[in-house]
Amino acid sequence: MTKQDLLYEGKAKKVWTTDDANQVIVEYKDDATAFDGTKKGTITGKGEINCAVSTILFQYLESYQVKTHFIQRLSAREMLTKKVEIIGIEAVMRNVATGSLVKRLAFPEAQVLEYPVYETYLKNDALGDPLINEHHAYALHLAKPEELRAIFRLTGKINAILRSFFDRRGMTLVDFKLEFGRFQGEIILADEISPDTCRIWDQKSNKKLDKDRFRFDLGGVEKAYQEVYERVTAR
Ligand code: UDP
């Protein structure tokens, strides 16, 4: 597989074309941004850790028949993936109340949600990734009803699988964001699943082991990412 041209550079990843029109190489960077790109920094070792964690989680989900864009890890910070047409919606699932659920709807901080909360956001930094419902998504021609239903169903299934995966490793999967893409007529999981895109707390202490340490300058960012990596790779 040969890496060709830079197709796209995002905040945390670069995407390269390959000699196969249906496959791209995703390169994970150490760059970190928060608050729709207004806060910028570097988390040393993040690219490798997010590439490794995403690889493990994509492979784990595939073992439960969840289709993902993942094909193969190529190097420390590169993976070969299917070239999908990304759907411009962020699918968020929340198991524990924090962040905007506390601010906007006055949930008690850290309250375990009896019914997980599913939300969709418009993938648009300039607008600050606003919360949208399915009707906005149709009006914006982002996806068809059957595609949104597939995204909802898959996000719920992925939540069930990953919650217990993290639980068995002493971590709480508080919430996470997924992105999906179209590939050969199907909706498949794309983007990444890592401490950049999930909130992960230590089960005993509720210590934050994710990007919130960077967002809110809590310190020990690298150590927290390393901790997630070690627990995810531990058998
Ligand atoms: N998230 C993400 N990228 C985004 C927005 C959210 O990965 O552009 C993840 C985030 O890490 C968290 C979850 O989605 O795990 C919910 O994030 P949100 O920004 O909605 O948090 P809140 O509004 O609760 O502060």
Side-chain angles (χ1 to χ4, degrees), residues 28 79 81 92 111 126 147 158-159 181 185 208 211:
Y28 288 73
M79 58 169 70
T81 67
V92 169
Q111 184 183 84
E147 292 178 322
I158 291 164
N159 187 37
K208 296 181 200 310
K211 203 166 107 177

Side-chain angles (χ1 to χ4, degrees), residues 28-30 43-56 73 76-77 192-196 221-230 232-233:
Y28 288 73
K29 305 191 286 185
D30 285 353
I43 302 174
T44 307
K46 175 171 86 77
E48 282 187 34
I49 289 177
N50 285 359
C51 186
V53 170
S54 289
T55 295
I56 288 164
R73 188 165 177 199
R77 53 177 73 238
E192 65 177 291
I193 314 178
S194 72
D196 268 14
V221 188
E222 282 86 359
K223 206 165 154 267
Y225 276 64
Q226 187 65 32
E227 177 81 34
V228 171
Y229 169 74
E230 280 164 17
V232 161
T233 46

Side-chain angles (χ1 to χ4, degrees), residues 10-123:
K11 289 173 284 180
K13 297 188 288 296
K14 286 181 186 173
V15 180
W16 302 85
T17 59
T18 67
D19 45 21
D20 184 331
N22 288 315
Q23 300 184 353
V24 291
I25 292 172
V26 177
E27 180 186 332
Y28 288 73
K29 305 191 286 185
D30 285 353
D31 299 350
T33 65
F35 309 118
D36 305 306
T38 52
K39 181 181 169 86
K40 290 191 176 72
T42 304
I43 302 174
T44 307
K46 175 171 86 77
E48 282 187 34
I49 289 177
N50 285 359
C51 186
V53 170
S54 289
T55 295
I56 288 164
L57 297 179
F58 283 142
Q59 286 175 329
Y60 188 68
L61 289 168
E62 290 274 359
S63 79
Y64 284 88
Q65 280 70 52
V66 174
K67 291 193 178 154
T68 77
H69 70 158
F70 179 80
I71 299 171
Q72 193 191 332
R73 188 165 177 199
L74 295 175
S75 70
R77 53 177 73 238
E78 291 170 312
M79 58 169 70
L80 183 65
T81 67
K82 293 168 185 156
K83 183 172 191 279
V84 301
E85 182 195 342
I86 285 282
I87 294 171
I89 293 173
E90 301 190 338
V92 169
M93 190 66 93
R94 302 173 183 272
N95 297 309
V96 178
T98 191
S100 61
L101 233 40
V102 173
K103 267 202 216 95
R104 207 165 61 82
L105 300 171
F107 278 89
E109 172 70 26
Q111 184 183 84
V112 175
L113 301 165
E114 190 182 344
Y115 299 95
V117 173
Y118 175 71
E119 298 171 335
T120 49
Y121 291 86
L122 177 65
K123 211 171 125 62

